[in-house]
Amino acid sequence: MRAARTAYPLKWRIMDTLEGVAAAIWPARFRRATPYLMLLPAVLLVGLLVLGLIQIADASLRTLDTTTFQFSDNYSIANFRRALTEPLFLVVAQRSLIAALIVTTVTLVFAFPYAYLMVRTRSPGLRKFLLIALFLPFFIGQVVRAYGWLIILGNQGMVNEALGLVGVAPMRLIYNYPAVLFGLVQYMLPFAVLMLAPALTAIPEELEAAAGSLGASWVRTFIHVVLPLARPGFIGAGVVVLTLSLTDFAVPAILGGGSQDFIANAIYDQFFRTSDQGLGATLALMLVALGSILVGLVFALFGAGTLAMGRSRA
Amino acid sequence: MQEPFRAVASREAEGGREIAVTVRNVGMDFDGVHAVKNASFDLPKGRFLTILGPSGSGKTTLLRMIAGFQTPSSGEIFINGEAVSAVPPHKRSIGMVFQRLALFPHMTAAENVAFPLKMRRRDARTIPDRVERYLALVRLGGYGGRRIHELSGGQQQRVAIARALVFEPDLLLLDEPLAALDRKLREEMQLEFRRIQRELGVTTINVTHDQREALVVSDDIVVMDQGEIQQKARPIHTYRQPRNAFVANFIGVTNFIAGTVRAVSEMGDVSIFRGDLMLAGKLGDPANPPAEGDKASGAIRAEQIRLAGDAAQLLTLDCVLAGTVTDTIFEGERMVYEVACAAIGDEVIRVFDHDPAAHTQFDIGESVFLGWNARDMLVFR
Ligand SMILES: Nc1ncnc2c1ncn2[C@@H]1O[C@H](COP(=O)(O)OP(=O)(O)O)[C@@H](O)[C@H]1O
Ligand SMILES: [Mg+2]
């Protein structure tokens, strides 16, 4: 018996011991509950989030007395009325929403060829280069990157200096809406490529060859085969980019220079400048609602994309 | 190499048919790997050609060059007499069934079959009719509305065939589409391929590593090994008159007995010595005979050998060897005996016994005699 034991590799014996310990703590008859046990951490986290939301909902219903800086004890919907009627907030909401839509569209258009080339190239060197170029921005935080754009695009920045060399007068390239959009697209591109790449990998290359042999030019192959099959990737990437840009804070703050506030910046102002936590909470709730409605709309219109479980739907 | 291609391409082939495909001195290199070397053959219209060879022999590469997915490193391919190296796949009139079928998963069976018609801008009003007709041809009438994943493996095969044929291509290419099926279904589909090909008369090139499939479905077989064409012949000739040892070994079960050439006659008779044993046979490749004293081997098929417990029963045969049964393998329709023969250094000879009454005739360890006719032994260099 002892001889047989030593014949097992050490790894197996460690695994056996671990399994023995696991069986002692969590006997086999509890096994049906195991999946629920594994859900527990996620449920706890989501639960905390819900608690926070309840707190925010509570705050959103109390108004700030500007003379005493005290919050009212009784509930009212005054904050919501202000948020929906004051032009400033409507402008900010509209600006964020339009930016999110533009950024999503532009990012998907740019991300697709990148992801396609990365997945389909026969050269391992090129694939590696594209991958590294994709991950590099992740190592540089969003704030540093936005600040980098300030340096490059600023009045004394590289771009304006280069323009000066060819006799073009310095232009204002930052602190405006296009600069924010540009910064957001640049920030979102890696996310979109990362979400598109697996969807493209899942499309067998043979399908494209088949479409060719059946008479489809590459444009028609792209429209009739690649695009429909990559849809889960487009939906996933689209939802991520849409929600991330809608709720972004750093890029509008830095590249917009205070003139291009998004909803998140307005919330920040309420919490930390005017200290009106009630109104800040209201704006935060409305942002959550807006995001949820948008995502729900995307899922309703295009299906749940990569989130669709089980069999592929068309 | 620069022979007048037109003359070759328009030459009337056996049976007076036009040539559909000409492969002329075609080679393909993948940075240093010669996947296909100097391949040449003609395929007359309406015939079913199978490219047979082991995995990695360059079959797919050759097929992909004909389809236009790859450009030959050397040589030229002609379809209906036209050089096609500058023609992209979607401009060639070729239907292809891929190894993994490559059906479009986001479309129904009917949409898959309609795809080539739409891409070729055929009259939209005629498409549904035609799709239904081709689904019926592959015995899938009424299945058009099914999604691909709702069909069985065999049904998916049929959709792929219908899709490749529906636009009436000049040429049908099949890249081992049956390799993944279980044996029963595979054999059924082989006959199905043959039926459909005969019904439509479409020129077909099939690629396989399955010798049985090649023998069953083809008009002609091209045997490939290591990128080189070994032989092109009718199935029965490929089997009965293999041109070299590779073909003899790859198709069927063949025993090889190595020896030294003693004499070669004008008639193609040849004798080889193995020690004191003299073996008489025919030249495998009369155009390229070995000289006296060369090393050569005699090839004899397992089914062409008689087995008997008594040498007297084999008196009519030209060559008789004594041996001991080392193994018996029951394969259902036949019994395989492995016999070690002392005269050839106890090398094992495999013998088929198709006589059901004789099945349990010999046991392991039993002494037996085996014999064959000189005309059945082919001698290769
Ligand atoms: N795209 C390619 N790049 C490099 N080598 C290849 C490529 N395609 C095929 N080969 C090589 O060419 C040889 C023949 O391959 P293939 O035509 O696929 O053989 P078969 O279809 O007979 O199995 C193999 O050695 C294979 O590794
Ligand atoms: Mg192959």
Side-chain angles (χ1 to χ4, degrees), chain A residues 122, chain B residues 28 30-31 33-36 53-62 64 70 99 175-176 207 224 227:
Chain A
R122 294 206 186 287
Chain B
M28 185 73 198
F30 295 112
D31 17 65
V33 180
H34 302 295
V36 175
S55 175
S57 57
K59 309 182 296 289
T60 297
T61 306
L62 185 51
R64 288 178 68 89
Q70 266 153 357
Q99 189 152 4
D175 186 6
E176 306 207 38
V207 155
M224 276 188 86

Side-chain angles (χ1 to χ4, degrees), chain B residues 113 148 167 188 204 217 263 272 318:
Chain B
V113 178
I148 297 308
F167 58 101
E188 187 188 315
T204 303
V217 301
I272 59 175
D318 300 324

Side-chain angles (χ1 to χ4, degrees), chain A residues 207 212-214 220 224 311, chain B residues 90 94 103 106 119-120 149:
Chain A
L207 288 189
S213 82
L214 293 168
R220 308 185 103 205
H224 294 288
R311 295 200 171 236
Chain B
H90 69 276
I94 291 178
L103 293 169
H106 59 299
M119 291 305 118
R120 285 160 200 274
H149 64 79

